[in-house]
Amino acid sequence: MTTRASFADWYKQAYAGFPQEHRAAGASGLQMFFVEQDSHDSIDEMGDHHLLGLVASAEADRSFWDFGDGKKEVANSASALVVQPAQSAPRMMVDGRHDVLVMTFPDAVLGRFLGEMTPKAGVFDALTDYVLFRDRETRHFMLSLWDTAAKDGPMAGIKIDSLFQLLIVRLIELSGQALTRSTAGLSQEQIAKACALIEDRLGEGLSLPEIAGEVGVSPFHFARQFKAKTGDTPHGYVMERRLARAKNALQHSRDPIADIAYACGFSSQQHMTTAFSKHLRVTPARYRKMATA
């Protein structure tokens, strides 16, 4: 089966007659789209991409699927999930109007995120036995990723990468595969190196895979061990450092609040105001007034 640069781009052409909204997100090659589909009989050649679909609404109550092991009839209902693994070519025959939220990502991203914990090939194949299945946790991650993908700024990218990792681990659990956990923790030197990188690039977009790559471990392992060592998640630590730098700038400079927000890595003045209000219970303007009084 041939590979393609983007399954989402192929989908735009193959299903051009259906209204679609596409969003790309994170550092993982993750792409998402929402499509309004009518009845169709088609074959998706997945190439080296995996697909996870969430049925948002469905007028028809049945569909027929064939992953190469014979045609199966299944209930096509809202909140149902389907996985189309890389290198598969499922044929689907769906009757009636149905809206679907789709997430697709290259198979290679599993190795980048899980490193030495990456399961064997065909990790998601078992989920095709059910064709459509239900799982509240997976649905929650899908909807959260879709909402976050509409936002701008480096913090959105970090959140997307974190949610995506959790979703991948959940799918692996549902497929019955085992993750071989590494017992090696992060050394103090690795922690210090990660924190120095965060500090140096606090005003930029810095993804979890980039931080993990700097210390030579998978993002999943890094996130788990970083929290174990520091008591904080990478996302929480980045926010803490941005707030600390912003507080210092507000107290010791007369720069406009918007300029301080951008310099500290916030996507806008409003983004920084929201963060101050949530974590410090005060607006940046009010903090500056109190700190310089």
Side-chain angles (χ1 to χ4, degrees), residues 10 12 24 91 105 120 154 172 207 211 214-215 231 241 279:
W10 175 87
K12 288 179 185 179
R91 178 178 180 180
F105 56 93
K120 63 183 180 181
I172 291 172
S207 70
I211 302 172
E214 182 71 15
V215 299
R241 295 308 306 147
H279 296 277

Side-chain angles (χ1 to χ4, degrees), residues 4-15 20 22 31 33 49 104:
R4 52 175 65 93
S6 168
F7 180 82
D9 288 339
W10 175 87
Y11 199 98
K12 288 179 185 179
Q13 300 177 11
Y15 294 87
Q20 304 176 32
H22 286 246
Q31 293 184 290
F33 49 93
H49 286 70
T104 179

Side-chain angles (χ1 to χ4, degrees), residues 122-191:
V123 57
F124 301 130
D125 289 354
L127 294 176
T128 66
D129 292 341
Y130 308 101
V131 182
L132 297 180
F133 63 97
R134 291 177 178 275
D135 181 65
R136 180 178 297 179
E137 193 172 340
T138 300
R139 179 175 178 273
H140 167 73
F141 289 140
M142 283 276 289
L143 295 174
S144 296
L145 280 164
W146 178 249
D147 289 342
T148 308
K151 301 176 182 178
D152 295 323
M155 298 305 293
I158 292 174
K159 182 177 180 181
I160 285 168
D161 291 336
S162 299
L163 285 169
F164 181 59
Q165 286 183 79
L166 292 171
L167 175 56
I168 291 301
V169 171
R170 180 58 180 163
L171 290 177
I172 291 172
E173 290 174 343
L174 291 172
S175 70
Q177 298 287 338
L179 289 174
T180 303
R181 293 179 176 269
S182 171
T183 57
L186 293 177
S187 66
Q188 288 302 319
E189 182 181 358
Q190 287 174 306
I191 293 289

Side-chain angles (χ1 to χ4, degrees), residues 249-250 253-263 269 272 284 288:
L250 288 168
S253 81
R254 301 183 65 181
D255 294 341
I257 292 177
D259 291 350
I260 292 174
Y262 290 121
Q269 180 176 335
M272 187 171 83
R288 169 175 268 175

